[in-house]
Amino acid sequence: MAGELAGKVAIVTGGASGIGQATAELIVEEGANVVIADVDTDGGEEVAAKLGDAAAFQHTDVSSADDIQALVDFTVERFGGLHVMVNNAGIAGSPRRFLNDDLRDFDRVLAVNLRGVMLGTQRAGRHMVDNGGGAIVNTTSIAGINAGAGFTTYRAAKAAVIHFTKSVAIELAEHAIRVNCIAPAHIETPINSSLYEVSEIVRLMQPLQRQGRPRDVAEAALYLVSDRAAQVTGVVLPVDGGTTAGLPASQQKSISAATARPKDGEQ
Ligand code: NAD
């Protein structure tokens, strides 16, 4: 249904690329104005230009409180309000196993992936409290739900985003502000394509043997910020092809075959 966000104003952080770009595009398709906030000025300006008058770009480092406040102020001045905040910007950090990780990117990963989400929620929330409420979506990851080896700092930051989101959903509920998480997995974008073969991970780990696209995650974000989710706050919605539910049946079959005890009469 086009026009689901007609009259609304949104911010998408990390909107210059991947999931954020797809989310900004869908938000505009649904009738809202959007401000794309990113450290990538060329990419952000390009996305905003393609979207026309309904979009604008604001250079923003989400780890900076001053930048986030300037982003909110710019958005309200440019489009007359702020109803939707999508705290999507993120970086991967080191894939190293923990004992070999010098943790040199710890501060930056936490600053972007956690403080950025907290600042975005706080500064957008302060505006929304005084202006009739709103909806906030924070991007976590299945890495914040499922434990695993490697990417330890990223996993810790993304897990913290979930707990933060649930806590602040309770705090902001009395102001008609809903706060939810989306948890993507295995969407091929610049954040992961340089680190590993996404299609191979999908084959091994994802029950739905379909390559997820940024648009799939954008659709989930749209649901959570639209009135269809009016009764939904404090949830984590995985967009993961079933990965957090369990292994694909093909993998379970291989494990069963490899571990079966021989039946009577068989060697
Ligand atoms: P991406 O690399 O395509 O996009 C990330 C965007 O964030 C980029 O445009 C980048 O410039 C921007 N960014 C980075 N640091 C920033 C900062 N300090 N301030 C503002 N912008 C900044 O990756 P993506 O896959 O679209 O990732 C979007 C979000 O989804 C991230 O939070 C990521 O952790 C999460 N995620 C992605 C996947 C996946 O499979 N792609 C899985 C789980 C979670």
Side-chain angles (χ1 to χ4, degrees):
M1 187 175 92
E4 214 158 336
L5 298 181
K8 299 273 170 72
V9 179
I11 290 172
V12 179
T13 70
S17 171
I19 293 166
Q21 177 179 349
T23 305
E25 288 167 358
L26 186 54
I27 283 173
V28 168
E29 273 174 50
E30 292 297 334
N33 291 122
V34 71
V35 174
I36 291 153
D38 207 295
V39 285
D40 175 0
T41 301
D42 291 347
E45 280 179 346
E46 198 180 317
V47 173
K50 272 194 206 141
L51 293 174
D53 290 346
F57 171 73
Q58 168 87 350
H59 183 278
T60 307
D61 180 342
V62 296
S63 69
S64 155
D66 288 348
D67 277 18
I68 290 281
Q69 191 57 53
L71 169 66
V72 170
D73 294 345
F74 168 81
T75 303
V76 172
E77 197 181 319
R78 177 71 177 257
F79 292 120
L82 175 60
H83 312 93
V84 169
M85 182 79 187
V86 183
N87 291 304
N88 158 84
I91 54 175
S94 170
R96 288 211 181 106
R97 297 292 286 269
F98 183 61
L99 295 181
N100 299 323
D101 187 351
D102 59 13
L103 299 182
R104 85 176 61 158
D105 61 5
F106 179 89
D107 288 346
R108 189 65 189 151
V109 172
L110 268 287
V112 176
N113 293 3
L114 179 58
R115 191 166 75 219
V117 168
M118 293 178 73
L119 286 170
T121 303
Q122 183 187 61
R123 302 310 165 97
R126 283 179 184 165
H127 174 85
M128 290 170 180
V129 162
D130 295 331
N131 292 278
I136 299 173
V137 169
N138 295 330
T139 307
T140 178
S141 165
I142 63 153
I145 301 172
N146 287 350
F151 294 102
T152 323
T153 305
Y154 180 81
R155 288 179 193 283
K158 290 296 188 179
V161 167
I162 294 174
H163 209 65
F164 163 72
T165 299
K166 290 182 179 183
S167 302
V168 89
I170 293 168
E171 234 185 275
L172 297 185
E174 66 193 75
H175 301 290
I177 301 170
R178 297 183 298 99
V179 195
N180 292 291
C181 277
I182 40 176
H186 319 318
I187 309 292
E188 193 158 4
T189 68
I191 207 172
N192 53 21
S193 55
S194 60
L195 294 168
Y196 50 81
E197 196 63 56
V198 179
S199 59
E200 192 56 7
I201 297 263
V202 167
R203 188 181 74 74
L204 293 169
M205 293 185 61
Q206 191 175 281
L208 276 180
Q209 289 283 295
R210 165 185 181 277
Q211 178 59 62
R213 302 155 302 143
R215 177 79 178 201
D216 295 316
V217 186
E219 296 282 0
L222 173 63
Y223 163 69
L224 288 173
V225 302
S226 75
D227 289 344
R228 291 175 190 245
Q231 190 66 357
V232 180
T233 197
V235 307
V236 186
L237 176 55
V239 187
D240 69 348
T243 303
T244 47
L247 286 172
S250 58
Q251 289 291 85
Q252 288 182 20
K253 213 167 132 191
S254 308
I255 292 167
S256 302
T259 56
R261 292 187 188 281
K263 293 192 190 108
D264 284 351
E266 286 179 6
Q267 289 298 325

